[in-house]
Amino acid sequence: MATGRPHRPATRGRGIPEATVARLPLYLRALTALSERSVPTVSSEELATAAGVNSAKLRKDFSYLGSYGTRGVGYDVEYLVYQISRELGLTQDWPVVIVGIGNLGAALANYGGFASRGFRVAALIDADPAMAGRPVAGIAVQHADELEKIIDDNGVSIGVIATPAGAAQQVCERLVAAGVTSILNFAPTVLSVPDGVDVRKVDLSIELQILAFHEQRKAGEAAAASELSDVAELVTPVAPPVAATKRRADDGSEGPDGLSAVMPA
Amino acid sequence: MATGRPHRPATRGRGIPEATVARLPLYLRALTALSERSVPTVSSEELATAAGVNSAKLRKDFSYLGSYGTRGVGYDVEYLVYQISRELGLTQDWPVVIVGIGNLGAALANYGGFASRGFRVAALIDADPAMAGRPVAGIAVQHADELEKIIDDNGVSIGVIATPAGAAQQVCERLVAAGVTSILNFAPTVLSVPDGVDVRKVDLSIELQILAFHEQRKAGEAAAASELSDVAELVTPVAPPVAATKRRADDGSEGPDGLSAVMPA
DNA sequence: ATGCCTTTGTGAACGCGTGCACAAAGATGA
DNA sequence: TCATCTTTGTGCACGCGTTCACAAAGGCAT
């Protein structure tokens, strides 16, 4: 989700809904696996199972791309792989720069999934002069001073930010000023960018916190159910499980106004 | 988004919508920053800006938690930090195991964001015997044989999968069998889990592909606009930019049925 | 050629999420 | 104490996304 844009309708350009676009890579991956096993055709039901979605949703998604199926038979795997690839823009080469070659940046540089679908790591950039020249994943790290030149020389339009949070906004601005119009942000910060620039963020901490919420809820529900022996509670939980919110683990880390338990990130 | 569940209504438990839960960590981060600067109160407008969301949305989100604001003044920062922390379950300790200590797993182990909000890395687990005993981020890697024992001993309910795609489902099943009920999956695979287990996935490749789609669209629109000199096209794009879909880069890699351009991952 | 059977493609309904706009609430100063 | 001003909390409407259910379409066997 891009930040700092005044909210355009989700379905833009032709008319492919954003939610559908987000699922196309999923279908593509499943189709690629089928293609490797030389499976010629696949039904919406089979493919949907492989991709982990509803078959009706899959068919509707594909209907936005056009009518690529054959009724009574299914979809031609190879043809669909090509159509989705083309729709996603994967039939062309996308040079990408990774900024911030710490643990995460190095992991990203080594990640095979980058190179496999038209994405090419054009450069690794770090602000630490000691990193300059050091090879990571077979590519020599370049100093941040070179950022603008690298982007210009390679025609880079996609940048990956893997710096500490404090440096992210500044790096972002330099990337944008140099011509980058899509940013994948791993730093735990809200980036503000001008209109026309897309930002997607990957935030490990947020994902964990969402899991913790559900985990707490599950623990609370289970405790409430076992304590009250009220089975109906499980089906339609009405009252909040007050006394059961802090079950599990030993806890004890929650003060009266409990602020000590929360540490600034 | 969990996979393999028959789709429960998005707002569960008490009544906090899933979309709101996903934003709470964002608010919490912004509030923590304010707290460090000793800011006593904050208005919905200010906080919304800091978190990168609409102020009305923020107020509605908070209204699900209760009425924690003061009209005419705003929200008490410290109090709100505590309330959100409690709601997310961050006032308790969450032991976490990371399975698969490759580049990514090591990066996650070193990531400060894990430890900072009640998440404690209880163990690092890898299937490679050569890794066993090696310290990563100050913690000795343990062999996968110990997985069940580790989870049981530490009361782990959250697992992070950072293995190659091929091993992910098997690891997932062992985690679930051992008692893990929340999984953060970094492997590019669809995990199937029994009901009651939450799965969230982080997929670098998918994020990049979504960016590529928008990037291609932008390039196509820009090319169409400059070719046709039709400015209105930019404001409300009506007709698909047919001749401009494959602009940018040199292309030429697209055959008649263009299958060669797509490489299996 | 014809009827059957499978699977696609989509119209329609429903529910969630978002944003507007305003009334209620409380602080603050005279 | 009372008026004013700021900011919250929310009713309402709208649009996107999901799902159901079915008609249209095409292969295949007889």
Side-chain angles (χ1 to χ4, degrees):
Chain A
M1 213 148 291
T3 310
R5 217 183 328 143
H7 191 69
R8 255 185 285 184
T11 143
R12 359 182 254 178
R14 194 165 328 177
I16 303 183
E18 190 60 33
T20 296
V21 172
R23 280 189 294 268
L24 289 181
L26 230 54
Y27 302 145
L28 183 55
R29 180 174 292 157
L31 285 164
T32 305
L34 291 171
S35 174
E36 281 170 9
R37 293 195 288 138
S38 301
V39 177
T41 61
V42 65
S43 72
S44 64
E45 198 68 49
E46 291 167 322
L47 186 54
T49 302
V53 301
N54 187 301
S55 70
K57 194 187 301 189
L58 180 142
R59 286 198 299 277
K60 181 145 287 195
D61 283 342
F62 285 174
S63 78
Y64 291 115
L65 309 182
S67 291
Y68 294 145
T70 307
R71 295 173 193 235
V73 178
Y75 298 91
D76 183 277
V77 171
E78 298 295 331
Y79 187 60
L80 204 45
V81 164
Y82 169 64
Q83 289 299 342
I84 294 179
S85 295
R86 192 173 54 80
E87 198 66 51
L88 285 173
L90 305 180
T91 54
Q92 59 185 271
D93 184 64
W94 294 105
V96 172
V97 294
I98 302 176
V99 186
I101 314 302
N103 278 298
L104 181 59
L108 296 177
N110 279 292
Y111 178 51
F114 265 55
S116 63
R117 294 209 187 277
F119 300 101
R120 181 172 49 83
V121 178
L124 306 179
I125 302 175
D126 199 283
D128 182 2
M131 290 289 297
R134 282 242 306 261
V136 172
I139 302 172
V141 174
Q142 295 178 267
H143 190 264
D145 289 347
E146 312 286 329
L147 189 146
E148 285 79 8
K149 177 169 164 49
I150 293 167
I151 289 173
D152 200 52
D153 288 356
N154 295 82
V156 173
S157 55
I158 300 179
V160 177
I161 297 179
T163 67
Q169 180 62 42
Q170 194 183 349
V171 166
C172 173
E173 283 163 15
R174 284 184 64 185
L175 287 172
V176 170
V180 166
T181 46
S182 287
I183 290 176
L184 183 52
N185 180 32
F186 285 87
T189 324
V190 176
L191 293 181
S192 59
V193 295
D195 282 19
V197 176
D198 282 306
V199 176
R200 295 191 67 86
K201 70 165 186 292
V202 174
D203 196 313
L204 321 180
S205 177
I206 286 183
E207 297 300 323
L208 270 188
Q209 289 175 52
I210 296 172
L211 282 181
F213 172 84
H214 292 309
E215 197 60 38
Q216 175 180 244
R217 223 201 74 269
K218 280 185 278 190
E221 260 184 16
S226 65
E227 279 178 11
L228 304 171
S229 313
D230 185 356
V231 185
E233 194 79 358
L234 271 175
V235 184
T236 46
V238 186
V242 180
T245 40
K246 53 178 178 76
R247 189 67 28 188
R248 164 146 223 108
D250 58 318
D251 121 283
S253 61
E254 185 190 348
D257 57 333
L259 295 173
S260 60
V262 184
M263 206 163 298
Chain B
M1 213 149 293
T3 312
R5 216 181 334 141
H7 192 68
R8 255 184 286 184
T11 145
R12 359 181 251 177
R14 195 164 330 177
I16 302 184
E18 189 61 32
T20 295
V21 172
R23 280 188 295 267
L24 290 183
L26 229 53
Y27 303 145
L28 183 56
R29 180 174 292 157
L31 285 164
T32 304
L34 291 172
S35 174
E36 282 170 9
R37 292 196 288 138
S38 300
V39 177
T41 60
V42 65
S43 72
S44 64
E45 198 67 50
E46 291 167 323
L47 187 54
T49 302
V53 302
N54 187 299
S55 72
K57 195 188 304 190
L58 179 142
R59 286 197 300 275
K60 181 147 292 192
D61 283 343
F62 286 175
S63 78
Y64 292 115
L65 309 182
S67 291
Y68 295 146
T70 306
R71 297 173 191 234
V73 177
Y75 298 91
D76 182 277
V77 171
E78 299 295 330
Y79 187 58
L80 204 46
V81 164
Y82 170 63
Q83 288 300 340
I84 294 180
S85 295
R86 193 174 53 82
E87 197 66 52
L88 286 172
L90 305 181
T91 52
Q92 58 184 269
D93 185 64
W94 294 105
V96 171
V97 295
I98 303 176
V99 186
I101 314 301
N103 278 299
L104 181 58
L108 296 178
N110 279 291
Y111 177 52
F114 265 55
S116 64
R117 293 208 186 279
F119 300 101
R120 180 172 50 84
V121 178
L124 306 178
I125 302 175
D126 200 284
D128 183 2
M131 289 289 296
R134 283 241 306 259
V136 172
I139 302 173
V141 175
Q142 296 179 267
H143 190 263
D145 291 346
E146 312 287 329
L147 190 144
E148 285 78 9
K149 177 171 165 45
I150 293 166
I151 289 173
D152 200 52
D153 288 355
N154 295 82
V156 173
S157 56
I158 300 179
V160 177
I161 297 180
T163 66
Q169 179 62 42
Q170 194 184 347
V171 167
C172 173
E173 284 163 14
R174 284 184 65 185
L175 286 173
V176 170
V180 166
T181 47
S182 288
I183 291 176
L184 183 52
N185 181 33
F186 286 86
T189 325
V190 176
L191 292 182
S192 58
V193 294
D195 281 19
V197 177
D198 282 307
V199 177
R200 295 191 67 86
K201 69 164 188 290
V202 174
D203 197 313
L204 321 180
S205 177
I206 286 183
E207 298 299 323
L208 270 187
Q209 290 174 52
I210 295 172
L211 282 181
F213 172 85
H214 293 309
E215 199 58 39
Q216 175 180 243
R217 223 200 75 267
K218 279 185 281 190
E221 259 184 17
S226 66
E227 279 179 11
L228 304 171
S229 314
D230 186 354
V231 185
E233 193 79 359
L234 272 175
V235 185
T236 47
V238 186
V242 181
T245 41
K246 54 176 180 77
R247 189 66 29 188
R248 162 147 220 105
D250 56 321
D251 121 284
S253 61
E254 185 190 349
D257 56 334
L259 296 174
S260 59
V262 185
M263 206 163 299

